[in-house]
Amino acid sequence: MKKKTILQLSLCCLLLASEASLNAQTTTLTLQLDKPGHAVSPTLYGLMTEEINHSYDGGLYAETIRNRTFQDDWNKPVFWSAKGDVSIELDRRTPLNEHLPVSLKVDVKSVSVPASLVNEGFWGFPVRPNTTYKGSFYAKARKGDRDFSVSLESKDGGRVYAKAEVTGVGTDWRKYDFTFTTAADAPVTADAQFVISTKEADTYWIDLVSLFPPTYNNTPNGNRIDIMQLLSDMKPKFLRLPGGNYLEGDFFKDRFAWKQTLGALENRPGHQAPWGYRSSDGMGLLEYLEWCEDLHIEPVLAVFAGYTLKGDHLEGKLLQPFIDEALEEIEYVIGDTNTKWGAVRAKDGHPQPFPLQYIEVGNEDWFDRSGSYHQRFAQFYNAIKAKYPQLQIISTDGKKFDIQGGAAEVEDEHYYRNASEMESDADHYDNYDRNGTKVFVGEWATREGSPTTNFNAALGDAAWMTGMERNSDIVVMASYAPLFVNVSPGAMQWKSDLIGYNTLNSYGSPSYYAQKMFNTYLGDNVIVIEGNNIPQQWQKLNARDSAEGRKPKQIPALFYVATRDSKTGTVYLKIVNTQGNAQAINIKLQGASKVVSNGQQIVLKADDPSETNTIDDPKKIVPVASPLKKVTKDFTYNAAPYSITVLQLETK
Ligand code: AHR
């Protein structure tokens, strides 16, 4: 062989060898567009809600008066104070009605100095220019024919933002309505209080004081506009309601007793909620359903299953009243107006039934050490199925069991973990029984960051979501929890929440934006992906694992999932890079006959995983969309350090 040929051959071998070793290291995602993937659950991403962290009172529910029926504390009218020669006390001998057993007795002894009653609101009041507030209260006076002024004022009383007069307060209980509007030059501030004042000495009784700013869709007794907009932007598919622990309550009397949440506010007593404060029940069953309607989504209705958080439970015949109550509740939601509870719904203002597919029996019944859930579930299941065979029933103890030949269609699983745990377990559903009970991940969250999550949590969330989305033939629904936190001092009971707000403003955490991206960019079919040379990281053990002597293992550092819109051919490839260095990824679109060279990249990233959004810096970490050029059937994409990316690729 000639010298030159030998040289050429060895050069060629060298090149081949280096290409092979390069290939051995290149991270490759081969999207097998020519292989059938399963359908994506049409209800995959939704919302979960309950009264926690001032989710409704002092949160989504737009009422601004705190302790409006004077029941928040047994002994004193908390959040209320008096000014001038005035004394106030709770009065149980002069109730407004049988539902509201306490009123406030206001003794105005003299008016030589201005006399007033002040409510401090939920961490102040939301004052904005040119804004009309609708208010009302019940009142009576011992001597009668009295006049009041009502106003929103600065806390030092130095500035009146809006004011109205209420005249002719008589000697019998009556409701007085008013509206007032702030001026064009009013500030945007929460430094405000609500004041009822009088120039006439007398003894007065007051109850059910209410003041609403404008609400979403202008709904009376409605919701905060900004928070509803954040929810709507997420494009959720369902709302799991009303809990969570809030469904169950500490004791039977504290469960979510839906009948007591219906109708006029003066008929709603409210109740002690499990997260340390009372609920006004202004957010009642109908308001929950209308909340769903406003977002164009379906309720997933959890019914009280005869088990309380303190561990009391009822079985057998004793459970029947709660089964009846659940059947009536379902009738309230979907019964036509010829049914008893459908007619009540119509009387409450909503003749049209609501859509409903899923009923959940209880909440986290794996905590029921009595072992009664199987039996309780069977009783509910059989009664609901007998009347409403079309409904799918969700069990909550994470176990599959047969019920007279049938079985729960879906089981609710909950996961609260740190980011490394989420990333370690992102393949959780890859090997689940494909013919078994479907899964509703009814509560899940990566719990890092407070009050809302940080970017590391969003990375854990996104890794976990790739697993749920890839397995959305099994995981039919998933909802993050908790959804809300009021970030004002003392309002939070549970750290690491999705959406934060104070009296005036609201914002989404990095986890919120990760979810918004996953919900928004979603096809209807999962694409099978072969991943090669996926970068690895060392698992971070939690304190318990370390104490138990577990050894960390290597887990992926890069996570991915892809879906395709079968009508348009659009491919959504999601890539989660948990590491601080960029990752070059060779993306192959196997089986695509045509690929449009212009795509789009949507990137959520941070310089450091501890970074986050706050009420004062709400948009530090948000998704940024930009064109993606030169897309071919085989191209390289550089995933940014610490990033969650969606690549939108147009294929045929
Ligand atoms: O999301 C907070 C709580 O966590 C829920 O109320 C309960 O279901 C779970 O334990």
Side-chain angles (χ1 to χ4, degrees), residues 48 50 52 244-246 275 363-364 367 414 416 443 481-482 494:
M48 183 271 168
E50 66 173 320
I52 184 173
N245 290 356
Y246 185 60
W275 293 102
N363 174 60
E364 294 192 339
F367 282 116
H414 294 178
Y416 291 108
E443 294 179 30
W494 183 285

Side-chain angles (χ1 to χ4, degrees), residues 48-53 240 242-248 274-275 309 363-364 366-367 412 414 416 442-445 447 480-483 494 497:
M48 183 271 168
T49 182
E50 66 173 320
E51 181 57 285
I52 184 173
N53 299 328
R240 174 177 173 234
N245 290 356
Y246 185 60
L247 169 74
E248 306 161 275
W275 293 102
L309 292 168
N363 174 60
E364 294 192 339
W366 56 77
F367 282 116
D412 182 356
H414 294 178
Y416 291 108
E443 294 179 30
W444 67 271
R447 296 195 65 195
Y480 187 100
L483 182 59
W494 183 285
D497 303 291

Side-chain angles (χ1 to χ4, degrees), residues 393-409:
I393 316 292
I394 304 170
S395 83
T396 75
D397 83 341
K399 273 189 244 101
K400 187 183 166 191
F401 39 69
D402 292 333
I403 300 117
Q404 294 183 359
E409 281 91 355

Side-chain angles (χ1 to χ4, degrees), residues 338-533:
N338 295 321
T339 62
K340 178 179 168 196
W341 287 98
V344 175
R345 186 193 63 240
K347 187 166 74 52
D348 291 344
H350 203 287
Q352 207 53 35
F354 291 91
L356 184 69
Q357 289 185 63
Y358 289 103
I359 299 294
E360 177 155 10
V361 178
N363 174 60
E364 294 192 339
D365 283 85
W366 56 77
F367 282 116
D368 177 4
R369 300 278 173 253
S370 75
S372 70
Y373 185 63
H374 186 159
Q375 181 54 35
R376 287 188 288 113
F377 180 83
Q379 286 181 254
F380 275 89
Y381 179 94
N382 290 330
I384 296 169
K385 279 284 182 188
K387 192 157 181 205
Y388 301 105
Q390 78 278 19
L391 294 177
Q392 309 264 296
I393 316 292
I394 304 170
S395 83
T396 75
D397 83 341
K399 273 189 244 101
K400 187 183 166 191
F401 39 69
D402 292 333
I403 300 117
Q404 294 183 359
E409 281 91 355
V410 184
E411 62 186 32
D412 182 356
E413 300 180 357
H414 294 178
Y415 299 97
Y416 291 108
R417 294 164 164 178
N418 65 35
S420 187
E421 289 166 327
M422 282 305 206
E423 290 161 20
S424 304
D425 201 27
D427 61 355
H428 186 93
Y429 294 106
D430 287 357
N431 299 311
Y432 251 52
D433 174 6
R434 309 233 81 81
N435 300 313
T437 314
K438 302 285 186 207
V439 174
F440 172 25
V441 187
E443 294 179 30
W444 67 271
T446 307
R447 296 195 65 195
E448 293 190 20
S450 178
T452 46
T453 56
N454 60 23
F455 194 72
N456 206 41
L459 289 169
D461 291 342
W464 176 249
M465 281 191 284
T466 62
M468 292 198 293
E469 195 167 304
R470 184 170 51 252
N471 293 289
S472 58
D473 54 334
I474 299 169
V475 180
V476 289
M477 293 184 289
S479 45
Y480 187 100
L483 182 59
F484 294 141
V485 62
N486 187 320
V487 301
S488 306
M492 179 177 76
Q493 294 84 47
W494 183 285
K495 289 196 275 195
S496 305
D497 303 291
L498 198 66
I499 292 174
Y501 44 80
N502 60 15
T503 309
L504 278 176
N505 299 313
S506 51
Y507 69 100
S509 62
S511 296
Y512 165 87
Y513 286 107
Q515 279 207 48
K516 188 176 159 190
M517 285 167 68
F518 271 67
N519 296 359
T520 306
Y521 302 101
L522 185 62
D524 53 14
N525 257 274
V526 168
I527 299 169
V528 179
I529 302 183
E530 188 189 311
N532 281 306
N533 303 320

Side-chain angles (χ1 to χ4, degrees), residues 40 52 106 145 157 223 258 283 340 408 443 468 514 622:
V40 174
I52 184 173
V106 184
D145 198 17
N223 294 333
W258 62 274
M283 176 67 76
K340 178 179 168 196
E443 294 179 30
M468 292 198 293
V622 292

Side-chain angles (χ1 to χ4, degrees), residues 556-577:
L558 187 94
F559 300 85
Y560 50 86
V561 67
T563 57
R564 177 172 38 183
D565 184 319
S566 55
K567 282 198 202 82
T568 61
T570 304
V571 169
Y572 302 105
L573 171 59
K574 291 161 180 162
I575 300 168
V576 184
N577 180 10

